[in-house]
Amino acid sequence: MRSHLLNDATAESYRLSVTEGVDRVANRLARTRQPFSGVTPDELAPVISAVDLDQPLGDTSAALDELEQVYLRDAVYFHHPRYLGHLNCPVVIPAVLGEAVLSAVNSSLDTWDQSAGGTLIERRLIDWTAQRIGLGEAADGVFTSGGTQSNLQALLLARQEAKTTDLERLRIFSSECSHFSVQKSATLLGLGPEAVVSVPVDRDKRMQTFFLAAELERCAREGLVPMAIVATAGTTDFGSIDPLPEIAELAQQYSTWMHVDAAYGCGLLASPTRRHLLDGIERADSVTVDYHKSFFQPVSSSAVLVRDGATLSHATYHADYLNPRRTIEERIPNQVDKSLQTTRRFDALKLWMTLRVMGADGVGSLFDEVCDLAATGWEILAADPRYDVVVQPQLSTLVYRYIPEAVTSPTEIDRANLYARKALFASGEAVVAGTKVNGRQYLKFTLLNPETTADDIAAVLDLIAGHAEQYLGENLVRVS
Ligand SMILES: *Cc1c(COP(=O)(O)O)cnc(C)c1O
């Protein structure tokens, strides 16, 4: 069994094994004709259950053959131009290379004595990101597992900086389109059930600062404590960007922590043409960025940045065996002092390789391309009488619904759209997402693949219309 350990003696076997695996994936990618096979959980579950985990195959090739059946054949492929579903990006090759390197070396970024250069690389990338945001000299941050964790950590810092320890009195203000991790974080942080104040959005799905001001005023009047304002730079559903400069003004006026959730919109930090959409982000106290959304990085790759690095000490705990107090005086850089995690992946290496091979403009222009595509997609939808489209996109999301020519009840329109989404998924020809707008069922394209074309969008819209019409046709038959 020692032959399976990666070390000096097995270097050649490592090379062969990984190369064989890469070969399989490369073949699979080259042969993939649609984003999904359409397999159902009921079809796939017995295949996975049939594998006897106590009977190893003993051999890489055999395990890879099996992997074709249990995973690769039916996976959902984000690189396919007709994958238009959730906020998943196709990944860039330099980042995938970084992934292979980081798992083989297996550094752990909690302490210097488990990572050395890895720690310094992560710190450079944090500084690079903070500089792009404009957070100033005292800024700092740390890589996290994702936007959910980044938001949690930012709100933890905000809670500790708040001017009360009475958790019941703390309030967080975020738009009705903010990510559910804000609510989840509030619960995890021990805040009361009323803690998150949902601020209405305008028709472009951006927070209305008029209502934010009114809520802050009410909070003060009622003797409650404004703990944080969460501005979303790229809402998950619409890609809308809250008015950051106005929110920054209000945060200052009420001495409140301003957190910008740029999990989606962070790609603009590298955009050669659209960086101005994030103007005002430089006034944030903390920022969430998800490189695994708009920097074309493999999951996971995310970070939380803060204006004042000293605030990260709210996450600092010392353990004699790991990061004893003396290491601070000895100025040993232990990233665990800033993180909610202990053992932690060297995800930063993927971004490092990406920037070293492609450069920031290279990544940013890929994101620009999908934003351009969304603008074109909006025109296609707006000109198509079969569809109702909401919100002209700021980023790369389109939310729309099929509307039949014949008069039908709103419930039937909802059902037709839901049916179309499910039927499309079952066919595997394309994957789209869905959401609700004013209680009604809508469909959604999240465009993150520069390989997707306007023709793909048009073709998928035809497929959706076909499924929706089929549903309505069958339903009419059933009713009569
Ligand atoms: C995706 C997303 C998150 C959560 O990020 P994960 O990486 O999925 O944990 C938070 N906020 C916004 C606005 C998002 O789009």
Side-chain angles (χ1 to χ4, degrees), residues 87 145-149 151 179 181 232 234-236 261-264 288 290 292-293 302:
L87 268 168
S145 61
T148 302
Q149 193 191 4
N151 284 347
H179 194 262
S181 53
T232 311
T235 56
T236 316
D261 180 357
Y264 178 10
T288 287
D290 260 3
H292 62 216
K293 281 183 181 158
S302 177

Side-chain angles (χ1 to χ4, degrees), residues 129-450:
T129 308
Q131 201 166 12
R132 290 242 157 196
I133 297 171
L135 286 180
E137 286 304 304
D140 199 357
V142 71
F143 272 66
T144 69
S145 61
T148 302
Q149 193 191 4
S150 296
N151 284 347
L152 173 62
Q153 180 161 0
L155 291 172
L156 166 72
L157 304 185
R159 186 193 73 181
Q160 299 306 91
E161 293 287 316
K163 289 160 201 73
T164 179
T165 49
D166 181 357
L167 300 186
E168 290 293 325
R169 287 171 57 222
L170 292 175
R171 292 293 178 272
I172 300 170
F173 303 84
S174 68
S175 98
E176 53 184 314
C177 293
S178 63
H179 194 262
F180 67 40
S181 53
V182 174
Q183 185 68 57
K184 208 186 262 195
S185 300
T187 306
L188 285 166
L189 292 169
L191 275 52
E194 311 292 318
V196 180
V197 179
S198 182
V199 182
V201 294
D202 62 16
R203 45 192 291 276
D204 291 326
K205 307 297 177 187
R206 305 168 75 220
M207 185 194 281
Q208 298 199 57
T209 46
F210 168 81
F211 289 109
L212 173 62
E215 288 293 350
L216 283 163
E217 186 51 45
R218 191 161 72 95
C219 177
R221 223 171 36 237
E222 293 177 0
L224 302 168
V225 180
M227 178 188 116
I229 304 171
V230 177
T232 311
T235 56
T236 316
D237 259 352
F238 304 98
S240 46
I241 300 170
D242 288 339
L244 304 176
E246 288 94 322
I247 292 172
E249 277 309 311
L250 286 166
Q252 190 174 357
Q253 194 182 327
Y254 286 86
S255 309
T256 301
W257 186 279
M258 175 181 175
H259 175 63
V260 177
D261 180 357
Y264 178 10
C266 61
L268 296 174
L269 294 171
S271 160
T273 63
R274 287 177 169 81
R275 170 62 182 82
H276 63 274
L277 292 176
L278 290 179
D279 284 354
I281 195 174
E282 69 284 351
R283 296 177 65 182
D285 294 291
S286 56
V287 178
T288 287
V289 296
D290 260 3
Y291 307 106
H292 62 216
K293 281 183 181 158
S294 46
F295 274 77
F296 304 92
Q297 300 294 295
V299 178
S300 15
S301 182
S302 177
V304 60
L305 291 301
V306 294
R307 151 178 317 288
D308 176 6
T311 59
L312 289 172
S313 66
H314 293 305
T316 310
Y317 290 79
H318 292 285
D320 292 337
Y321 66 86
L322 189 68
N323 59 335
R325 265 172 219 288
R326 66 164 170 78
T327 55
I328 295 200
E329 282 124 55
E330 291 169 4
R331 303 189 50 213
I332 296 167
N334 289 331
Q335 294 292 84
V336 71
D337 295 349
K338 308 174 186 177
S339 176
L340 299 186
Q341 294 167 266
T342 307
T343 305
R344 192 162 53 82
R345 291 164 52 83
F346 182 21
D347 285 318
L349 183 63
K350 297 179 282 193
L351 182 60
W352 179 269
M353 292 301 287
T354 303
L355 294 181
R356 297 310 295 139
V357 175
M358 300 170 59
D361 283 359
V363 190
S365 57
L366 289 178
F367 191 56
D368 269 347
E369 281 187 53
V370 294
C371 295
D372 288 339
L373 176 68
T376 310
W378 189 84
E379 284 166 16
I380 294 173
L381 275 159
D384 191 334
R386 297 173 300 176
Y387 287 97
D388 165 38
V389 58
V390 296
V391 189
Q392 208 157 353
Q394 279 185 292
L395 298 181
S396 63
T397 299
L398 294 167
V399 179
Y400 59 90
R401 70 190 319 218
Y402 174 81
I403 35 170
E405 223 170 292
V407 184
T408 325
S409 74
T411 319
E412 276 305 283
I413 301 181
D414 282 351
R415 288 193 185 134
N417 279 279
L418 197 55
Y419 174 87
R421 179 185 173 196
K422 287 183 181 170
L424 191 63
F425 190 64
S427 78
E429 288 184 275
V431 180
V432 305
T435 191
K436 289 205 167 160
V437 182
N438 302 326
R440 303 258 68 112
Q441 183 65 49
Y442 275 72
L443 302 174
K444 179 165 94 162
F445 292 154
T446 312
L447 304 171
L448 280 177
N449 191 344

